[in-house]
Amino acid sequence: MATNATEDLEYNEFYKALQNQYQALYDRAQDECWLVCIPCTSSLPPTSQISYSFAEAHLLEPSRLLRDEYKVLVGSKRIHWKLNGHILECQDLGLEAQVLAEELAYNKRYTPYRMFIIDRPLMKGVQPRKDRGMTKDELLVTRKTLSEHQRLLRCFDKHKEILQELDRRLAMFKDNYMILEAFLSDASKRLESLTKQAFSSFVEEHPTDDRIRDRRVKESVWLALENYIMCNVHKKVYEKICNRYKKEDSQFLDLCRQLRHTFTPSVLNISSDYVCKYHQTLSVLGRFQSYGSPIEKLFCLQDAMDSIYKDVEVHFKTRLRLGEPSLLPSDDLISLLGTILVQANLRNFVSDVYYMEQFHWSPFSEGEKLSYVLVTVRAALEYVRSSDVQKYLPKPKNSPPSGNSPSVTHPGLSSSSSSLPSALLELHEEQECGLNETLAKISRLNMEADRIERKQKKVVPNEIGPFFAQLEDGVVSSVQYNS
């Protein structure tokens, strides 16, 4: 089922009218499997103008003879519509409507029928209602940065007074409240309470604004306020968290540097579709540390997880594979994300995870989505730090102990001539069989040198005086003989 990311039928006034005021008409359309067309919220007229004829014009009966052609009886006039790709065309009225999304629904007999979300009503002369500032649909666009959230808050009439009071309380917090590393949870509770107070003020100060009644708009306001508050106190809070987890941050960063060349997707027991270079994902994570609030950091991680599948799709297409990449189980996703975190070289990441866990409090569904991202990232962090990954650490090279160079004594050499330098030991490590040949060659050279020396020093004894004789024990001695 394809749906428009900014349209929720639960809050569409026309769809609610079909289910309540015009339920009989809607039941007939479902029973006969007609095409149900729902104009998006921003294009709808005021609720008072959603009449029976308006509802009737958006329930199209399929043609029994021609595919993708529909008819509808509005009053006494029969009107024909034709679906051309993603465009509904009507020559009778000279209208076109774009299909934004399609949903496959089922009636009471479990027979499927189609439902379109379209960009405009299928009637002429219908004017959308005029809302102050942004429309509800515009307010529901996902916002991730502080500047975007500030623009959203300014769309409400009483925003100036509420934000002034909030700034005053934030200034008191920064000037008077001392954050202790051992009591960071208390700081979290105080800031959460401040967010709740500001949110309640926004709801209570706009009782006649229909937009603030929408649960999704309330969620957007909460996220905007939370981001606004945490960006204001980021420096004061984040500094204490980093001091508390300084050792863990250093250990994790050092571990990532050691694993960088050995702990890669290729060593994991996952589908080959996911063994690739995650350039786009790493590019997104490269911006992670530039964000100040937990919400901004969480959205960055969410974008990074989405980029994993984009990188896989690029890799899949470059291999000229048909079809789609295989599905990745949750456990494998955690392992894969662990290898990407190792490559990302993120400083203070243990502190960042604690920061996101303790200083993000959204009670709405979007907060639950971000919480899922956080849980997955936390699992990947713990996986990298676990003993399961220790086997991927590079093995240390055998290095000689500090001090004197080691020596090796060969039976054919004297102790003074058989002390081998460390360079020869390294040669032995690289090619063990070459060491014996080298020692034998040295022995032969020493024997030849001794023979030449004895020949040069050979002396003929005189009638008087000493002559040199070599004793059996190898000690050279001087002996005197009488004439």
Side-chain angles (χ1 to χ4, degrees), residues 137-307:
D137 284 350
E138 291 172 331
L139 288 174
L140 296 178
V141 174
T142 301
R143 290 169 173 81
K144 302 178 181 180
T145 64
L146 175 61
S147 59
E148 292 174 338
H149 283 140
Q150 287 176 318
R151 285 197 296 270
L152 183 144
L153 295 175
R154 287 196 292 266
C155 292
F156 295 91
D157 294 340
K158 301 293 184 66
H159 76 276
K160 189 173 182 180
E161 296 85 347
I162 298 173
L163 293 182
Q164 284 179 347
E165 176 63 19
L166 181 58
D167 289 338
R168 185 184 69 82
R169 297 189 180 190
L170 286 173
M172 292 177 59
F173 178 88
K174 289 188 286 186
D175 294 340
N176 303 326
Y177 182 75
M178 179 180 293
I179 300 179
L180 301 177
E181 296 176 13
F183 297 94
L184 289 169
S185 59
D186 182 71
S188 174
K189 292 178 181 178
R190 288 175 179 267
L191 292 171
E192 181 182 8
S193 176
L194 198 58
T195 306
K196 289 180 178 179
Q197 293 173 10
F199 175 75
S200 298
S201 297
F202 258 91
V203 175
E204 293 170 1
E205 293 295 330
H206 300 90
T208 60
D209 194 332
D210 292 338
R211 298 172 300 173
I212 200 66
R213 298 177 185 176
D214 191 319
R215 174 185 54 81
R216 300 165 300 167
V217 175
K218 288 181 179 179
E219 179 175 9
S220 298
V221 171
W222 175 283
L223 291 176
L225 289 169
E226 181 182 317
N227 196 21
Y228 182 85
I229 289 173
M230 290 311 303
C231 284
N232 267 275
V233 300
H234 165 72
K235 184 177 180 181
K236 183 181 181 75
V237 174
Y238 191 68
E239 184 180 73
K240 295 296 182 180
I241 295 175
C242 290
N243 288 339
R244 177 176 175 178
Y245 291 97
K246 182 178 181 180
K247 181 179 179 181
E248 290 85 347
D249 287 333
S250 177
Q251 290 174 344
F252 179 71
L253 184 61
D254 183 61
L255 178 62
C256 289
R257 289 171 176 170
Q258 294 182 59
L259 291 169
R260 185 163 190 171
H261 300 292
T262 56
F263 186 53
T264 60
S266 59
V267 303
L268 301 176
N269 186 23
I270 61 175
S271 171
S272 59
D273 295 340
Y274 293 85
V275 180
C276 62
K277 300 292 185 181
Y278 290 90
H279 297 297
Q280 186 173 347
T281 306
L282 292 174
S283 176
V284 173
L285 287 175
R287 303 190 295 269
F288 177 78
Q289 292 172 323
S290 65
Y291 297 115
S293 71
I295 289 178
E296 291 177 329
K297 289 179 180 290
L298 283 168
F299 274 122
C300 179
L301 292 175
Q302 186 181 60
D303 292 342
M305 292 179 64
D306 293 339
S307 297

Side-chain angles (χ1 to χ4, degrees), residues 76-99:
S76 59
K77 186 176 180 180
R78 188 174 297 277
I79 298 174
H80 294 83
W81 289 87
K82 182 177 181 179
L83 179 62
N84 186 8
H86 294 286
I87 303 295
L88 272 173
E89 302 173 342
C90 179
Q91 294 183 354
D92 300 332
L93 299 176
L95 291 179
E96 288 186 355
Q98 183 180 359
V99 179

Side-chain angles (χ1 to χ4, degrees), residues 376-410:
T376 305
V377 171
R378 159 63 80 176
L381 169 64
E382 296 303 328
Y383 174 68
V384 174
R385 300 166 73 186
S386 69
S387 58
D388 294 337
V389 180
Q390 298 299 314
K391 60 184 177 182
Y392 298 111
L393 286 171
K395 297 180 180 179
K397 295 182 179 180
N398 294 327
S399 56
S402 59
N404 297 329
S405 300
S407 62
V408 176
T409 303
H410 191 274

